[in-house]
PDB file of all heavy atoms in Angstrom:
ATOM      1  N   ASN E   1      22.676  15.585   4.023  1.00 71.00           N
ATOM      2  CA  ASN E   1      22.126  16.902   3.717  1.00 71.00           C
ATOM      3  C   ASN E   1      22.092  17.203   2.220  1.00 71.00           C
ATOM      4  O   ASN E   1      21.593  18.240   1.813  1.00 71.00           O
ATOM      5  CB  ASN E   1      22.914  17.994   4.443  1.00 71.00           C
ATOM      6  CG  ASN E   1      22.739  17.899   5.941  1.00 71.00           C
ATOM      7  OD1 ASN E   1      21.663  17.567   6.426  1.00 71.00           O
ATOM      8  ND2 ASN E   1      23.811  18.153   6.675  1.00 71.00           N
ATOM      9  N   SER E   2      22.625  16.309   1.419  1.00 75.00           N
ATOM     10  CA  SER E   2      22.615  16.504  -0.023  1.00 75.00           C
ATOM     11  C   SER E   2      21.169  16.472  -0.523  1.00 75.00           C
ATOM     12  O   SER E   2      20.349  15.684  -0.064  1.00 75.00           O
ATOM     13  CB  SER E   2      23.418  15.389  -0.705  1.00 75.00           C
ATOM     14  OG  SER E   2      23.235  15.437  -2.094  1.00 75.00           O
ATOM     15  N   ASN E   3      20.873  17.315  -1.488  1.00 86.00           N
ATOM     16  CA  ASN E   3      19.513  17.335  -2.035  1.00 86.00           C
ATOM     17  C   ASN E   3      19.347  16.396  -3.219  1.00 86.00           C
ATOM     18  O   ASN E   3      18.302  16.382  -3.853  1.00 86.00           O
ATOM     19  CB  ASN E   3      19.102  18.762  -2.406  1.00 86.00           C
ATOM     20  CG  ASN E   3      19.930  19.318  -3.557  1.00 86.00           C
ATOM     21  OD1 ASN E   3      20.902  18.719  -3.996  1.00 86.00           O
ATOM     22  ND2 ASN E   3      19.543  20.477  -4.032  1.00 86.00           N
ATOM     23  N   VAL E   4      20.339  15.586  -3.492  1.00 89.00           N
ATOM     24  CA  VAL E   4      20.268  14.646  -4.607  1.00 89.00           C
ATOM     25  C   VAL E   4      19.117  13.663  -4.405  1.00 89.00           C
ATOM     26  O   VAL E   4      18.359  13.382  -5.328  1.00 89.00           O
ATOM     27  CB  VAL E   4      21.611  13.889  -4.782  1.00 89.00           C
ATOM     28  CG1 VAL E   4      21.499  12.818  -5.851  1.00 89.00           C
ATOM     29  CG2 VAL E   4      22.709  14.868  -5.128  1.00 89.00           C
ATOM     30  N   ALA E   5      18.966  13.150  -3.193  1.00 88.00           N
ATOM     31  CA  ALA E   5      17.886  12.205  -2.912  1.00 88.00           C
ATOM     32  C   ALA E   5      16.520  12.847  -3.132  1.00 88.00           C
ATOM     33  O   ALA E   5      15.584  12.183  -3.580  1.00 88.00           O
ATOM     34  CB  ALA E   5      17.991  11.679  -1.483  1.00 88.00           C
ATOM     35  N   GLU E   6      16.411  14.122  -2.840  1.00 90.00           N
ATOM     36  CA  GLU E   6      15.133  14.810  -2.979  1.00 90.00           C
ATOM     37  C   GLU E   6      14.731  15.037  -4.432  1.00 90.00           C
ATOM     38  O   GLU E   6      13.606  15.434  -4.708  1.00 90.00           O
ATOM     39  CB  GLU E   6      15.178  16.130  -2.213  1.00 90.00           C
ATOM     40  CG  GLU E   6      15.308  15.895  -0.715  1.00 90.00           C
ATOM     41  CD  GLU E   6      15.601  17.150   0.066  1.00 90.00           C
ATOM     42  OE1 GLU E   6      15.603  18.241  -0.529  1.00 90.00           O
ATOM     43  OE2 GLU E   6      15.825  17.020   1.270  1.00 90.00           O
ATOM     44  N   GLN E   7      15.641  14.779  -5.344  1.00 92.00           N
ATOM     45  CA  GLN E   7      15.326  14.893  -6.766  1.00 92.00           C
ATOM     46  C   GLN E   7      14.974  13.536  -7.372  1.00 92.00           C
ATOM     47  O   GLN E   7      14.562  13.455  -8.524  1.00 92.00           O
ATOM     48  CB  GLN E   7      16.511  15.517  -7.507  1.00 92.00           C
ATOM     49  CG  GLN E   7      16.801  16.925  -7.048  1.00 92.00           C
ATOM     50  CD  GLN E   7      18.097  17.470  -7.605  1.00 92.00           C
ATOM     51  OE1 GLN E   7      18.681  16.917  -8.532  1.00 92.00           O
ATOM     52  NE2 GLN E   7      18.559  18.563  -7.046  1.00 92.00           N
ATOM     53  N   ASP E   8      15.127  12.486  -6.586  1.00 93.00           N
ATOM     54  CA  ASP E   8      14.812  11.126  -7.030  1.00 93.00           C
ATOM     55  C   ASP E   8      13.300  10.997  -7.222  1.00 93.00           C
ATOM     56  O   ASP E   8      12.513  11.470  -6.399  1.00 93.00           O
ATOM     57  CB  ASP E   8      15.311  10.132  -5.975  1.00 93.00           C
ATOM     58  CG  ASP E   8      15.174   8.698  -6.418  1.00 93.00           C
ATOM     59  OD1 ASP E   8      14.028   8.221  -6.525  1.00 93.00           O
ATOM     60  OD2 ASP E   8      16.216   8.057  -6.645  1.00 93.00           O
ATOM     61  N   SER E   9      12.884  10.331  -8.285  1.00 95.00           N
ATOM     62  CA  SER E   9      11.448  10.208  -8.591  1.00 95.00           C
ATOM     63  C   SER E   9      10.697   9.453  -7.496  1.00 95.00           C
ATOM     64  O   SER E   9       9.526   9.753  -7.227  1.00 95.00           O
ATOM     65  CB  SER E   9      11.235   9.521  -9.940  1.00 95.00           C
ATOM     66  OG  SER E   9      11.757   8.206  -9.906  1.00 95.00           O
ATOM     67  N   ARG E  10      11.345   8.495  -6.830  1.00 95.00           N
ATOM     68  CA  ARG E  10      10.685   7.754  -5.749  1.00 95.00           C
ATOM     69  C   ARG E  10      10.412   8.681  -4.566  1.00 95.00           C
ATOM     70  O   ARG E  10       9.351   8.612  -3.940  1.00 95.00           O
ATOM     71  CB  ARG E  10      11.540   6.571  -5.303  1.00 95.00           C
ATOM     72  CG  ARG E  10      11.709   5.521  -6.397  1.00 95.00           C
ATOM     73  CD  ARG E  10      12.775   4.531  -6.051  1.00 95.00           C
ATOM     74  NE  ARG E  10      14.050   5.242  -5.941  1.00 95.00           N
ATOM     75  CZ  ARG E  10      15.141   4.755  -5.362  1.00 95.00           C
ATOM     76  NH1 ARG E  10      15.136   3.574  -4.817  1.00 95.00           N
ATOM     77  NH2 ARG E  10      16.253   5.450  -5.335  1.00 95.00           N
ATOM     78  N   TYR E  11      11.373   9.550  -4.268  1.00 94.00           N
ATOM     79  CA  TYR E  11      11.202  10.534  -3.193  1.00 94.00           C
ATOM     80  C   TYR E  11      10.048  11.474  -3.541  1.00 94.00           C
ATOM     81  O   TYR E  11       9.171  11.729  -2.719  1.00 94.00           O
ATOM     82  CB  TYR E  11      12.494  11.322  -2.992  1.00 94.00           C
ATOM     83  CG  TYR E  11      12.380  12.448  -2.001  1.00 94.00           C
ATOM     84  CD1 TYR E  11      12.712  12.253  -0.665  1.00 94.00           C
ATOM     85  CD2 TYR E  11      11.948  13.720  -2.382  1.00 94.00           C
ATOM     86  CE1 TYR E  11      12.610  13.279   0.263  1.00 94.00           C
ATOM     87  CE2 TYR E  11      11.833  14.747  -1.472  1.00 94.00           C
ATOM     88  CZ  TYR E  11      12.171  14.522  -0.158  1.00 94.00           C
ATOM     89  OH  TYR E  11      12.055  15.546   0.757  1.00 94.00           O
ATOM     90  N   LEU E  12      10.052  11.983  -4.752  1.00 95.00           N
ATOM     91  CA  LEU E  12       9.021  12.930  -5.178  1.00 95.00           C
ATOM     92  C   LEU E  12       7.636  12.298  -5.152  1.00 95.00           C
ATOM     93  O   LEU E  12       6.663  12.928  -4.729  1.00 95.00           O
ATOM     94  CB  LEU E  12       9.346  13.464  -6.573  1.00 95.00           C
ATOM     95  CG  LEU E  12      10.625  14.306  -6.684  1.00 95.00           C
ATOM     96  CD1 LEU E  12      10.954  14.601  -8.136  1.00 95.00           C
ATOM     97  CD2 LEU E  12      10.489  15.585  -5.877  1.00 95.00           C
ATOM     98  N   GLU E  13       7.539  11.040  -5.585  1.00 96.00           N
ATOM     99  CA  GLU E  13       6.250  10.348  -5.573  1.00 96.00           C
ATOM    100  C   GLU E  13       5.767  10.136  -4.143  1.00 96.00           C
ATOM    101  O   GLU E  13       4.580  10.334  -3.836  1.00 96.00           O
ATOM    102  CB  GLU E  13       6.349   8.992  -6.301  1.00 96.00           C
ATOM    103  CG  GLU E  13       5.057   8.213  -6.323  1.00 96.00           C
ATOM    104  CD  GLU E  13       3.905   8.897  -7.049  1.00 96.00           C
ATOM    105  OE1 GLU E  13       4.141   9.722  -7.953  1.00 96.00           O
ATOM    106  OE2 GLU E  13       2.746   8.625  -6.687  1.00 96.00           O
ATOM    107  N   ALA E  14       6.665   9.745  -3.244  1.00 96.00           N
ATOM    108  CA  ALA E  14       6.286   9.534  -1.840  1.00 96.00           C
ATOM    109  C   ALA E  14       5.817  10.855  -1.216  1.00 96.00           C
ATOM    110  O   ALA E  14       4.823  10.882  -0.479  1.00 96.00           O
ATOM    111  CB  ALA E  14       7.452   8.943  -1.047  1.00 96.00           C
ATOM    112  N   MET E  15       6.506  11.945  -1.507  1.00 95.00           N
ATOM    113  CA  MET E  15       6.109  13.248  -0.968  1.00 95.00           C
ATOM    114  C   MET E  15       4.733  13.663  -1.517  1.00 95.00           C
ATOM    115  O   MET E  15       3.908  14.210  -0.779  1.00 95.00           O
ATOM    116  CB  MET E  15       7.149  14.313  -1.294  1.00 95.00           C
ATOM    117  CG  MET E  15       8.444  14.141  -0.522  1.00 95.00           C
ATOM    118  SD  MET E  15       8.225  14.208   1.270  1.00 95.00           S
ATOM    119  CE  MET E  15       7.764  15.906   1.500  1.00 95.00           C
ATOM    120  N   LYS E  16       4.498  13.368  -2.781  1.00 97.00           N
ATOM    121  CA  LYS E  16       3.199  13.680  -3.387  1.00 97.00           C
ATOM    122  C   LYS E  16       2.091  12.899  -2.685  1.00 97.00           C
ATOM    123  O   LYS E  16       1.046  13.454  -2.341  1.00 97.00           O
ATOM    124  CB  LYS E  16       3.228  13.333  -4.877  1.00 97.00           C
ATOM    125  CG  LYS E  16       1.919  13.552  -5.593  1.00 97.00           C
ATOM    126  CD  LYS E  16       2.028  13.148  -7.059  1.00 97.00           C
ATOM    127  CE  LYS E  16       0.663  13.135  -7.681  1.00 97.00           C
ATOM    128  NZ  LYS E  16       0.514  12.102  -8.671  1.00 97.00           N
ATOM    129  N   ARG E  17       2.328  11.607  -2.451  1.00 96.00           N
ATOM    130  CA  ARG E  17       1.335  10.766  -1.780  1.00 96.00           C
ATOM    131  C   ARG E  17       1.077  11.246  -0.357  1.00 96.00           C
ATOM    132  O   ARG E  17      -0.061  11.285   0.091  1.00 96.00           O
ATOM    133  CB  ARG E  17       1.782   9.294  -1.777  1.00 96.00           C
ATOM    134  CG  ARG E  17       1.805   8.643  -3.134  1.00 96.00           C
ATOM    135  CD  ARG E  17       0.443   8.395  -3.718  1.00 96.00           C
ATOM    136  NE  ARG E  17      -0.240   7.380  -2.917  1.00 96.00           N
ATOM    137  CZ  ARG E  17      -1.556   7.321  -2.748  1.00 96.00           C
ATOM    138  NH1 ARG E  17      -2.337   8.186  -3.321  1.00 96.00           N
ATOM    139  NH2 ARG E  17      -2.097   6.381  -2.010  1.00 96.00           N
ATOM    140  N   ILE E  18       2.138  11.638   0.341  1.00 96.00           N
ATOM    141  CA  ILE E  18       1.970  12.155   1.706  1.00 96.00           C
ATOM    142  C   ILE E  18       1.079  13.388   1.683  1.00 96.00           C
ATOM    143  O   ILE E  18       0.184  13.537   2.513  1.00 96.00           O
ATOM    144  CB  ILE E  18       3.336  12.445   2.366  1.00 96.00           C
ATOM    145  CG1 ILE E  18       4.038  11.119   2.701  1.00 96.00           C
ATOM    146  CG2 ILE E  18       3.167  13.303   3.622  1.00 96.00           C
ATOM    147  CD1 ILE E  18       5.471  11.279   3.175  1.00 96.00           C
ATOM    148  N   GLY E  19       1.303  14.272   0.731  1.00 96.00           N
ATOM    149  CA  GLY E  19       0.458  15.459   0.597  1.00 96.00           C
ATOM    150  C   GLY E  19      -0.996  15.098   0.344  1.00 96.00           C
ATOM    151  O   GLY E  19      -1.911  15.715   0.904  1.00 96.00           O
ATOM    152  N   GLU E  20      -1.221  14.087  -0.491  1.00 96.00           N
ATOM    153  CA  GLU E  20      -2.599  13.636  -0.774  1.00 96.00           C
ATOM    154  C   GLU E  20      -3.242  13.065   0.494  1.00 96.00           C
ATOM    155  O   GLU E  20      -4.413  13.353   0.777  1.00 96.00           O
ATOM    156  CB  GLU E  20      -2.585  12.580  -1.880  1.00 96.00           C
ATOM    157  CG  GLU E  20      -2.197  13.132  -3.235  1.00 96.00           C
ATOM    158  CD  GLU E  20      -1.892  12.056  -4.270  1.00 96.00           C
ATOM    159  OE1 GLU E  20      -1.923  10.846  -3.921  1.00 96.00           O
ATOM    160  OE2 GLU E  20      -1.611  12.412  -5.414  1.00 96.00           O
ATOM    161  N   PHE E  21      -2.488  12.264   1.243  1.00 96.00           N
ATOM    162  CA  PHE E  21      -3.029  11.687   2.472  1.00 96.00           C
ATOM    163  C   PHE E  21      -3.347  12.774   3.494  1.00 96.00           C
ATOM    164  O   PHE E  21      -4.394  12.741   4.145  1.00 96.00           O
ATOM    165  CB  PHE E  21      -2.054  10.679   3.084  1.00 96.00           C
ATOM    166  CG  PHE E  21      -1.865   9.424   2.274  1.00 96.00           C
ATOM    167  CD1 PHE E  21      -0.608   8.890   2.088  1.00 96.00           C
ATOM    168  CD2 PHE E  21      -2.946   8.756   1.700  1.00 96.00           C
ATOM    169  CE1 PHE E  21      -0.416   7.728   1.361  1.00 96.00           C
ATOM    170  CE2 PHE E  21      -2.769   7.598   0.963  1.00 96.00           C
ATOM    171  CZ  PHE E  21      -1.494   7.085   0.795  1.00 96.00           C
ATOM    172  N   LYS E  22      -2.453  13.751   3.621  1.00 96.00           N
ATOM    173  CA  LYS E  22      -2.711  14.852   4.567  1.00 96.00           C
ATOM    174  C   LYS E  22      -3.949  15.645   4.152  1.00 96.00           C
ATOM    175  O   LYS E  22      -4.727  16.084   5.000  1.00 96.00           O
ATOM    176  CB  LYS E  22      -1.487  15.763   4.673  1.00 96.00           C
ATOM    177  CG  LYS E  22      -0.352  15.128   5.442  1.00 96.00           C
ATOM    178  CD  LYS E  22       0.829  16.068   5.542  1.00 96.00           C
ATOM    179  CE  LYS E  22       1.931  15.472   6.382  1.00 96.00           C
ATOM    180  NZ  LYS E  22       3.081  16.387   6.510  1.00 96.00           N
ATOM    181  N   SER E  23      -4.139  15.818   2.856  1.00 96.00           N
ATOM    182  CA  SER E  23      -5.327  16.500   2.357  1.00 96.00           C
ATOM    183  C   SER E  23      -6.593  15.718   2.722  1.00 96.00           C
ATOM    184  O   SER E  23      -7.614  16.320   3.095  1.00 96.00           O
ATOM    185  CB  SER E  23      -5.227  16.667   0.836  1.00 96.00           C
ATOM    186  OG  SER E  23      -6.405  17.207   0.326  1.00 96.00           O
ATOM    187  N   GLU E  24      -6.517  14.404   2.645  1.00 95.00           N
ATOM    188  CA  GLU E  24      -7.669  13.576   3.018  1.00 95.00           C
ATOM    189  C   GLU E  24      -7.984  13.734   4.504  1.00 95.00           C
ATOM    190  O   GLU E  24      -9.149  13.816   4.893  1.00 95.00           O
ATOM    191  CB  GLU E  24      -7.411  12.109   2.675  1.00 95.00           C
ATOM    192  CG  GLU E  24      -7.418  11.856   1.183  1.00 95.00           C
ATOM    193  CD  GLU E  24      -7.040  10.443   0.813  1.00 95.00           C
ATOM    194  OE1 GLU E  24      -6.554   9.685   1.675  1.00 95.00           O
ATOM    195  OE2 GLU E  24      -7.229  10.088  -0.368  1.00 95.00           O
ATOM    196  N   ILE E  25      -6.958  13.765   5.331  1.00 94.00           N
ATOM    197  CA  ILE E  25      -7.174  13.969   6.767  1.00 94.00           C
ATOM    198  C   ILE E  25      -7.825  15.329   7.013  1.00 94.00           C
ATOM    199  O   ILE E  25      -8.773  15.439   7.798  1.00 94.00           O
ATOM    200  CB  ILE E  25      -5.853  13.820   7.550  1.00 94.00           C
ATOM    201  CG1 ILE E  25      -5.406  12.347   7.548  1.00 94.00           C
ATOM    202  CG2 ILE E  25      -6.000  14.340   8.985  1.00 94.00           C
ATOM    203  CD1 ILE E  25      -4.032  12.105   8.122  1.00 94.00           C
ATOM    204  N   ASP E  26      -7.338  16.363   6.335  1.00 95.00           N
ATOM    205  CA  ASP E  26      -7.941  17.697   6.471  1.00 95.00           C
ATOM    206  C   ASP E  26      -9.408  17.670   6.070  1.00 95.00           C
ATOM    207  O   ASP E  26     -10.246  18.309   6.715  1.00 95.00           O
ATOM    208  CB  ASP E  26      -7.184  18.723   5.622  1.00 95.00           C
ATOM    209  CG  ASP E  26      -5.817  19.063   6.172  1.00 95.00           C
ATOM    210  OD1 ASP E  26      -5.547  18.787   7.368  1.00 95.00           O
ATOM    211  OD2 ASP E  26      -4.991  19.594   5.397  1.00 95.00           O
ATOM    212  N   ARG E  27      -9.722  16.944   4.998  1.00 94.00           N
ATOM    213  CA  ARG E  27     -11.118  16.845   4.545  1.00 94.00           C
ATOM    214  C   ARG E  27     -11.989  16.188   5.612  1.00 94.00           C
ATOM    215  O   ARG E  27     -13.136  16.593   5.808  1.00 94.00           O
ATOM    216  CB  ARG E  27     -11.199  16.106   3.220  1.00 94.00           C
ATOM    217  CG  ARG E  27     -10.670  16.957   2.063  1.00 94.00           C
ATOM    218  CD  ARG E  27     -10.577  16.222   0.755  1.00 94.00           C
ATOM    219  NE  ARG E  27     -11.772  15.484   0.390  1.00 94.00           N
ATOM    220  CZ  ARG E  27     -11.765  14.439  -0.443  1.00 94.00           C
ATOM    221  NH1 ARG E  27     -10.645  14.016  -0.973  1.00 94.00           N
ATOM    222  NH2 ARG E  27     -12.891  13.823  -0.731  1.00 94.00           N
ATOM    223  N   ILE E  28     -11.463  15.181   6.281  1.00 92.00           N
ATOM    224  CA  ILE E  28     -12.228  14.536   7.352  1.00 92.00           C
ATOM    225  C   ILE E  28     -12.474  15.531   8.477  1.00 92.00           C
ATOM    226  O   ILE E  28     -13.598  15.663   8.972  1.00 92.00           O
ATOM    227  CB  ILE E  28     -11.513  13.275   7.870  1.00 92.00           C
ATOM    228  CG1 ILE E  28     -11.543  12.180   6.792  1.00 92.00           C
ATOM    229  CG2 ILE E  28     -12.167  12.768   9.170  1.00 92.00           C
ATOM    230  CD1 ILE E  28     -10.669  10.977   7.098  1.00 92.00           C
ATOM    231  N   TYR E  29     -11.428  16.255   8.892  1.00 91.00           N
ATOM    232  CA  TYR E  29     -11.595  17.244   9.955  1.00 91.00           C
ATOM    233  C   TYR E  29     -12.605  18.327   9.573  1.00 91.00           C
ATOM    234  O   TYR E  29     -13.340  18.821  10.419  1.00 91.00           O
ATOM    235  CB  TYR E  29     -10.257  17.896  10.313  1.00 91.00           C
ATOM    236  CG  TYR E  29      -9.394  17.072  11.212  1.00 91.00           C
ATOM    237  CD1 TYR E  29      -8.088  16.772  10.867  1.00 91.00           C
ATOM    238  CD2 TYR E  29      -9.853  16.587  12.446  1.00 91.00           C
ATOM    239  CE1 TYR E  29      -7.279  16.012  11.706  1.00 91.00           C
ATOM    240  CE2 TYR E  29      -9.064  15.839  13.277  1.00 91.00           C
ATOM    241  CZ  TYR E  29      -7.773  15.552  12.906  1.00 91.00           C
ATOM    242  OH  TYR E  29      -6.973  14.802  13.727  1.00 91.00           O
ATOM    243  N   ASN E  30     -12.636  18.668   8.290  1.00 92.00           N
ATOM    244  CA  ASN E  30     -13.550  19.711   7.818  1.00 92.00           C
ATOM    245  C   ASN E  30     -14.932  19.169   7.459  1.00 92.00           C
ATOM    246  O   ASN E  30     -15.809  19.931   7.052  1.00 92.00           O
ATOM    247  CB  ASN E  30     -12.952  20.419   6.593  1.00 92.00           C
ATOM    248  CG  ASN E  30     -11.705  21.190   6.951  1.00 92.00           C
ATOM    249  OD1 ASN E  30     -11.545  21.670   8.077  1.00 92.00           O
ATOM    250  ND2 ASN E  30     -10.794  21.317   5.989  1.00 92.00           N
ATOM    251  N   GLY E  31     -15.120  17.864   7.569  1.00 89.00           N
ATOM    252  CA  GLY E  31     -16.412  17.253   7.266  1.00 89.00           C
ATOM    253  C   GLY E  31     -16.744  17.227   5.787  1.00 89.00           C
ATOM    254  O   GLY E  31     -17.900  17.152   5.398  1.00 89.00           O
ATOM    255  N   GLU E  32     -15.719  17.267   4.942  1.00 92.00           N
ATOM    256  CA  GLU E  32     -15.919  17.300   3.488  1.00 92.00           C
ATOM    257  C   GLU E  32     -15.864  15.885   2.906  1.00 92.00           C
ATOM    258  O   GLU E  32     -14.860  15.193   3.061  1.00 92.00           O
ATOM    259  CB  GLU E  32     -14.828  18.143   2.826  1.00 92.00           C
ATOM    260  CG  GLU E  32     -14.778  19.571   3.296  1.00 92.00           C
ATOM    261  CD  GLU E  32     -13.542  20.299   2.807  1.00 92.00           C
ATOM    262  OE1 GLU E  32     -12.778  19.747   1.998  1.00 92.00           O
ATOM    263  OE2 GLU E  32     -13.331  21.425   3.268  1.00 92.00           O
ATOM    264  N   CYS E  33     -16.908  15.473   2.244  1.00 89.00           N
ATOM    265  CA  CYS E  33     -16.939  14.197   1.516  1.00 89.00           C
ATOM    266  C   CYS E  33     -16.508  13.021   2.381  1.00 89.00           C
ATOM    267  O   CYS E  33     -15.828  12.108   1.905  1.00 89.00           O
ATOM    268  CB  CYS E  33     -16.055  14.260   0.270  1.00 89.00           C
ATOM    269  SG  CYS E  33     -16.438  15.597  -0.848  1.00 89.00           S
ATOM    270  N   VAL E  34     -16.922  13.017   3.652  1.00 88.00           N
ATOM    271  CA  VAL E  34     -16.435  11.970   4.549  1.00 88.00           C
ATOM    272  C   VAL E  34     -16.914  10.581   4.132  1.00 88.00           C
ATOM    273  O   VAL E  34     -16.147   9.619   4.245  1.00 88.00           O
ATOM    274  CB  VAL E  34     -16.776  12.256   6.030  1.00 88.00           C
ATOM    275  CG1 VAL E  34     -15.953  13.404   6.560  1.00 88.00           C
ATOM    276  CG2 VAL E  34     -18.250  12.490   6.234  1.00 88.00           C
ATOM    277  N   ASP E  35     -18.129  10.455   3.653  1.00 90.00           N
ATOM    278  CA  ASP E  35     -18.598   9.132   3.229  1.00 90.00           C
ATOM    279  C   ASP E  35     -17.731   8.585   2.097  1.00 90.00           C
ATOM    280  O   ASP E  35     -17.380   7.411   2.074  1.00 90.00           O
ATOM    281  CB  ASP E  35     -20.059   9.176   2.797  1.00 90.00           C
ATOM    282  CG  ASP E  35     -21.005   9.372   3.981  1.00 90.00           C
ATOM    283  OD1 ASP E  35     -20.617   9.043   5.124  1.00 90.00           O
ATOM    284  OD2 ASP E  35     -22.131   9.863   3.747  1.00 90.00           O
ATOM    285  N   GLU E  36     -17.375   9.463   1.164  1.00 93.00           N
ATOM    286  CA  GLU E  36     -16.498   9.082   0.059  1.00 93.00           C
ATOM    287  C   GLU E  36     -15.126   8.655   0.588  1.00 93.00           C
ATOM    288  O   GLU E  36     -14.546   7.660   0.134  1.00 93.00           O
ATOM    289  CB  GLU E  36     -16.349  10.268  -0.900  1.00 93.00           C
ATOM    290  CG  GLU E  36     -15.347  10.080  -2.000  1.00 93.00           C
ATOM    291  CD  GLU E  36     -15.151  11.377  -2.781  1.00 93.00           C
ATOM    292  OE1 GLU E  36     -16.158  12.017  -3.120  1.00 93.00           O
ATOM    293  OE2 GLU E  36     -13.993  11.719  -3.039  1.00 93.00           O
ATOM    294  N   LEU E  37     -14.609   9.390   1.550  1.00 92.00           N
ATOM    295  CA  LEU E  37     -13.309   9.050   2.118  1.00 92.00           C
ATOM    296  C   LEU E  37     -13.359   7.755   2.924  1.00 92.00           C
ATOM    297  O   LEU E  37     -12.431   6.942   2.862  1.00 92.00           O
ATOM    298  CB  LEU E  37     -12.780  10.194   2.989  1.00 92.00           C
ATOM    299  CG  LEU E  37     -12.248  11.386   2.220  1.00 92.00           C
ATOM    300  CD1 LEU E  37     -11.999  12.560   3.145  1.00 92.00           C
ATOM    301  CD2 LEU E  37     -10.991  11.023   1.464  1.00 92.00           C
ATOM    302  N   TYR E  38     -14.441   7.549   3.684  1.00 92.00           N
ATOM    303  CA  TYR E  38     -14.585   6.297   4.423  1.00 92.00           C
ATOM    304  C   TYR E  38     -14.562   5.118   3.461  1.00 92.00           C
ATOM    305  O   TYR E  38     -13.939   4.092   3.722  1.00 92.00           O
ATOM    306  CB  TYR E  38     -15.884   6.265   5.227  1.00 92.00           C
ATOM    307  CG  TYR E  38     -15.996   7.265   6.341  1.00 92.00           C
ATOM    308  CD1 TYR E  38     -17.247   7.683   6.767  1.00 92.00           C
ATOM    309  CD2 TYR E  38     -14.880   7.799   6.973  1.00 92.00           C
ATOM    310  CE1 TYR E  38     -17.391   8.604   7.798  1.00 92.00           C
ATOM    311  CE2 TYR E  38     -15.009   8.726   7.997  1.00 92.00           C
ATOM    312  CZ  TYR E  38     -16.263   9.120   8.408  1.00 92.00           C
ATOM    313  OH  TYR E  38     -16.397  10.021   9.423  1.00 92.00           O
ATOM    314  N   GLU E  39     -15.262   5.270   2.338  1.00 92.00           N
ATOM    315  CA  GLU E  39     -15.299   4.211   1.326  1.00 92.00           C
ATOM    316  C   GLU E  39     -13.903   3.953   0.760  1.00 92.00           C
ATOM    317  O   GLU E  39     -13.490   2.810   0.582  1.00 92.00           O
ATOM    318  CB  GLU E  39     -16.275   4.586   0.205  1.00 92.00           C
ATOM    319  CG  GLU E  39     -16.321   3.607  -0.936  1.00 92.00           C
ATOM    320  CD  GLU E  39     -16.811   2.226  -0.553  1.00 92.00           C
ATOM    321  OE1 GLU E  39     -17.594   2.102   0.415  1.00 92.00           O
ATOM    322  OE2 GLU E  39     -16.397   1.247  -1.207  1.00 92.00           O
ATOM    323  N   LYS E  40     -13.172   5.016   0.479  1.00 93.00           N
ATOM    324  CA  LYS E  40     -11.813   4.881  -0.060  1.00 93.00           C
ATOM    325  C   LYS E  40     -10.906   4.184   0.949  1.00 93.00           C
ATOM    326  O   LYS E  40     -10.121   3.306   0.589  1.00 93.00           O
ATOM    327  CB  LYS E  40     -11.251   6.254  -0.426  1.00 93.00           C
ATOM    328  CG  LYS E  40      -9.891   6.185  -1.081  1.00 93.00           C
ATOM    329  CD  LYS E  40      -9.434   7.557  -1.530  1.00 93.00           C
ATOM    330  CE  LYS E  40      -8.142   7.478  -2.305  1.00 93.00           C
ATOM    331  NZ  LYS E  40      -7.723   8.805  -2.767  1.00 93.00           N
TER     332      LYS E  40
END
């Protein structure tokens, strides 16, 4: 339960990437830039 791990740069980077991936999924559901996302 210690928050020390959550301050680690690797943890922060992984959380940032997860947020980016979730945003991409939302864009697909919303039909936004899907061709661009398919290419990526």
Side-chain angles (χ1 to χ4, degrees):
N1 294 324
S2 170
N3 66 352
V4 174
E6 294 170 6
Q7 297 171 13
D8 187 291
S9 62
R10 295 168 297 164
Y11 174 93
L12 295 171
E13 180 62 27
M15 290 300 292
K16 177 181 170 215
R17 293 289 293 149
I18 288 172
E20 291 168 357
F21 292 137
K22 287 181 177 181
S23 175
E24 290 175 348
I25 290 172
D26 289 342
R27 287 173 49 204
I28 291 170
Y29 280 126
N30 294 331
E32 300 170 7
C33 305
V34 289
D35 289 337
E36 173 187 314
L37 285 169
Y38 295 155
E39 176 63 27
K40 184 175 185 179

